[in-house]
Amino acid sequence: MNKNVRPTAPAAPQGEAKGGSAFAAIVIPLALIVSIIIYKFVFGNPGNFQGGNSENHPLPGSYLGIIYKGGVIVPILLTMFLLVITFSIERFLTISKAKGTKSIEAFVRSIRQKLNVNDITGAVAACDQQKGSVANVVKAGLIKYQEMARDRGMDKDQKVLAIQKEIEESTALELPMLEKNLVILSTLASVSTLVGLLGTVFGMINAFSALANAGAPDAVGLANGISEALINTALGILTSALAIIAYNFFTSKIDELTYSIDEAGFSIIQTFAAQHGEKETYTA
């Protein structure tokens, strides 16, 4: 079994795909609504500004008022920030559940120990106790192991290929669930920076418009324009950085799970090849 090649994942089951789409369809507009409310009533609270008017400068040290001065791009960036947090939590819970009830290393070690003594029934029971995606794949391979061990009409090479195919197909069915919504995080990592730059451009346009006034420049307009530009830049960079960190973190965790599946699957195939001859029968 090639431990370096991940099998191509087929499309997720229809119910699972609908579940992921429904979650995203609910979370995205909800995050936008929450962001607008926060922008209007928290950041834009009159108490954050001089004279109780949101059109004036923020009070000294009022960071909420300063963020409000970022302009209409701020709610969009805040939406993206909330989406990064939400999908990061969702992926964390999903991948944690996929690991099972105990550490993957201990589970794989237990499976290998049971395979070394040809305790296939005990290995299946360990999978039932572990649960999660890794255990599901290993259990599918072990059940195929038992089936092939009882089969008298196939030679050993055919049986080994059948077990390998079963493990690869089970892995391919589990991967979409693990990788679901990661594309949203990767998209947010790129788009949030661009949206932040767009807000920066709007802020600089307002700043230069204040300088273009006849006579004395509009100092307040100039300050607000520069503030808008810098705030949007900061929010865009922050959101992008968090999305990149989250995406890379979850990708590495998925790779760890995939490696554990490959390791356990390789042990199953090696054990079968070593302990079963061309026509050897299996006793449960």
Side-chain angles (χ1 to χ4, degrees):
M1 183 176 182
N2 189 346
K3 298 176 68 176
N4 297 320
V5 178
R6 180 185 294 181
T8 302
Q14 187 175 4
E16 182 179 294
K18 287 184 177 179
S21 300
F23 179 78
I26 293 173
V27 168
I28 292 174
L30 184 61
L32 178 59
I33 293 172
V34 171
S35 298
I36 293 173
I37 292 175
I38 293 175
Y39 177 74
K40 289 289 186 181
F41 300 103
V42 178
F43 296 157
N45 190 316
N48 298 323
F49 302 91
Q50 296 176 1
N53 187 349
S54 61
E55 298 297 325
N56 297 333
H57 280 300
L59 293 172
S62 177
Y63 293 104
L64 297 181
I66 293 174
I67 295 175
Y68 179 81
K69 288 300 181 180
V72 295
I73 299 295
V74 170
I76 300 176
L77 290 170
L78 185 58
T79 299
M80 294 181 175
F81 178 81
L82 293 177
L83 289 177
V84 170
I85 299 300
T86 301
F87 284 112
S88 295
I89 294 173
E90 185 268 340
R91 284 296 85 198
F92 178 80
L93 295 176
T94 300
I95 293 176
S96 297
K97 182 179 179 181
K99 289 181 179 179
T101 56
K102 61 181 180 180
S103 72
I104 292 296
E105 293 79 7
F107 170 69
V108 173
R109 185 166 56 250
S110 174
I111 293 297
R112 297 185 69 173
Q113 290 172 350
K114 293 182 184 300
L115 287 173
N116 289 337
V117 296
N118 202 27
D119 184 11
I120 308 303
T121 302
V124 172
C127 293
D128 291 333
Q129 294 177 355
Q130 176 71 10
K131 301 179 181 179
S133 296
V134 177
N136 291 340
V137 174
V138 175
K139 182 178 179 180
L142 292 171
I143 292 175
K144 195 67 175 180
Y145 182 113
Q146 292 176 318
E147 179 184 338
M148 291 295 100
R150 296 188 185 99
D151 190 287
R152 300 183 181 183
M154 301 170 61
D155 60 35
K156 185 173 70 173
D157 289 340
Q158 291 175 322
K159 293 177 180 179
V160 168
L161 288 174
I163 296 172
Q164 179 178 343
K165 182 179 179 181
E166 181 68 21
I167 293 173
E168 290 178 348
E169 289 179 351
S170 299
T171 302
L173 289 174
E174 293 289 341
L175 282 180
M177 184 271 293
L178 297 176
E179 296 176 343
K180 183 178 63 179
N181 293 332
L182 282 184
V183 65
I184 296 179
L185 286 176
S186 65
T187 301
L188 290 171
S190 301
V191 174
S192 58
T193 303
L194 298 177
V195 174
L197 290 175
L198 179 62
T200 303
V201 172
F202 288 165
M204 295 310 297
I205 290 173
N206 293 333
F208 282 107
S209 296
L211 284 175
N213 289 336
D218 183 358
V220 175
L222 176 62
N224 287 339
I226 295 175
S227 176
E228 178 179 351
L230 295 178
I231 290 168
N232 284 305
T233 301
L235 289 176
I237 292 174
L238 174 62
T239 303
S240 178
L242 291 177
I244 291 172
I245 292 171
Y247 178 82
N248 290 334
F249 174 79
F250 294 125
T251 299
S252 67
K253 291 300 180 182
I254 292 172
D255 288 341
E256 290 178 8
L257 294 180
T258 304
Y259 177 80
S260 298
I261 290 173
D262 288 343
E263 184 180 5
F266 188 72
S267 297
I268 293 172
I269 293 172
Q270 274 192 324
T271 301
F272 187 92
Q275 298 187 4
H276 293 80
E278 296 292 330
K279 297 292 184 179
E280 184 177 349
T281 59
Y282 172 81
T283 303

